[in-house]
Amino acid sequence: MSADGVQQLLADLLLHSVGPGDATALAAAHRAADHGDVGLVQEVDQRLFASKLNAEMRTASVRSGHQLIDLGAELIDQGLLAEYAERVRRRSTPGCQPVAAAVVYAANGVATRQAVASDLFAFSASFVGAALRLRLTDHRQAQAILLQTSPVMEQVTEAALERNLADLGGFAPMADVMSAQHERAEARLFAS
């Protein structure tokens, strides 16, 4: 795969999977947290978890979400964050990373738009980092890929902010198939 292929795959994942799934959940959970509705935050979390088709992606999201919400609850004294962290600890809600991030962002006064855009950039940087480790690109091309993808990140941010919770969920069948094959591989380079 060329650097152009890496950029196109990243854009496709943002548009068809991450945006309609994780970014939409983050936006919905952030709005719920801003309104003090921990029940709705939990509903978003459960819907997002149910929308992740393979175990590897669910596990990765929950592991990073648990770490984030544990740290957030330890460092930030905020009621809704503490209540959500307790629900995650009791396992009454999964604790997916985008929802945990939304609660932490909201507790810190970060606006919904910036929270969604920030998480999309973090996903993109991580994706490009994986391409670097796989030697599909070099450091200079990686920066160019992020720059070329920035309009897509903006588009995906806007779409996530406008989407209803009922519309949560992406559709990237080949990515799901490849992820399902990866989780059963004997040797794996990445956890997800």
Side-chain angles (χ1 to χ4, degrees), residues 36-105:
D37 191 343
V38 71
L40 183 53
V41 170
Q42 181 171 330
E43 180 183 343
V44 173
D45 198 18
Q46 292 168 338
R47 283 182 183 232
L48 179 61
F49 184 80
S51 76
K52 294 188 177 293
L53 296 181
N54 61 64
E56 188 174 61
M57 295 311 252
R58 287 189 304 271
T59 300
S61 183
V62 166
R63 279 185 183 159
S64 57
H66 284 212
Q67 293 299 317
L68 180 57
I69 202 64
D70 285 348
L71 181 61
E74 182 180 321
L75 298 176
I76 303 159
D77 183 21
Q78 197 261 2
L80 187 132
L81 191 153
E83 174 60 26
Y84 175 71
E86 179 60 21
R87 289 180 185 207
V88 170
R89 190 190 64 70
R90 287 191 326 247
R91 299 183 190 266
S92 60
T93 195
C96 294
Q97 182 276 331
V99 178
V103 171
V104 172
Y105 280 128

Side-chain angles (χ1 to χ4, degrees), residues 111-180:
T112 308
R113 178 180 311 284
Q114 283 71 31
V116 172
S118 178
D119 237 51
L120 288 171
F121 182 81
F123 171 83
S124 299
S126 178
F127 182 90
V128 171
L132 273 166
R133 290 190 300 281
L134 291 170
R135 298 179 189 245
L136 298 174
T137 187
D138 62 31
H139 290 279
R140 292 177 68 87
Q141 290 172 327
Q143 294 305 311
I145 290 168
L146 289 172
L147 181 61
Q148 292 165 352
T149 309
S150 63
V152 176
M153 287 184 244
E154 289 177 27
Q155 176 186 353
V156 170
T157 297
E158 293 306 316
L161 293 170
E162 293 173 9
R163 222 176 258 115
N164 293 320
L165 182 56
D167 296 325
L168 186 141
F171 184 71
M174 284 309 299
D176 291 333
V177 168
M178 297 309 293
S179 181

